[in-house]
Amino acid sequence: MNEPSCVFCRILRGEIPSQKLYEDDATIVVRDVNPQAPLHVLVVPREHVQDIAGALQRQGGEERVGKLFSTAVRIAADQGLAAGGFRLVVNTGSDGGQTVGHLHLHLMGGRQMTWPPG
Ligand code: AMP
Ligand code: ZN
């Protein structure tokens, strides 16, 4: 279900412009509007689901979440990050720092990351 007010659903419907790197029948990959690294993209399932816990509860959820990760790793390789490395982040819920309630993976790379994150 496409949630009318959700920013990623609005991007998926073409109501908000985005810089798309990749899309298939299940997923889109767009540049983050507020990048935190030289490469910072969001891997977003077309299906509106609140977060990774909700996604995993659905029929076929583990397979679909697995495909999201494999898409992210493939994009990382396509963008030349395989050798140097990259970071995948799934912010979940309020304490997790999630600000958009539509599951997405952050793929970041192109600089040295630090730990712990804020
Ligand atoms: P999170 O805090 O994990 O929920 O991440 C949401 C991300 O979406 C943030 O990094 C925002 O910069 C990004 N974001 C919000 N609106 C847009 C937009 N219209 N296009 C691309 N990225 C966006
Ligand atoms: Zn949505």
Side-chain angles (χ1 to χ4, degrees):
M1 182 65 77
N2 249 215
E3 294 292 326
S5 62
C6 167
V7 64
F8 295 156
C9 285
R10 296 189 67 196
I11 286 174
L12 283 159
R13 291 196 299 266
E15 295 168 7
I16 296 178
S18 65
Q19 288 187 45
K20 223 173 279 178
L21 259 71
Y22 171 81
E23 64 182 317
D24 62 28
D25 58 350
T27 313
I28 61 166
V29 179
V30 297
R31 288 193 192 278
D32 197 294
V33 77
N34 182 22
Q36 302 300 313
L39 181 83
H40 185 176
V41 299
L42 304 170
V43 182
V44 182
R46 289 187 183 277
E47 186 183 30
H48 179 93
V49 55
Q50 172 76 19
D51 59 21
I52 193 158
L56 288 168
Q57 280 165 11
R58 296 194 174 189
Q59 187 81 25
E62 289 188 359
E63 189 176 337
R64 280 193 263 182
V65 168
K67 283 189 84 173
L68 275 188
F69 277 88
S70 59
T71 298
V73 170
R74 188 155 35 81
I75 298 293
D78 290 349
Q79 294 293 314
L81 300 179
F86 53 88
R87 182 172 287 179
L88 295 176
V89 172
V90 187
N91 295 328
T92 306
S94 169
D95 280 0
Q98 184 175 7
T99 61
V100 176
H102 180 140
L103 173 62
H104 52 283
L105 272 58
H106 294 258
L107 164 61
M108 288 174 284
R111 68 167 169 85
Q112 178 64 59
M113 300 293 168
T114 59
W115 195 263

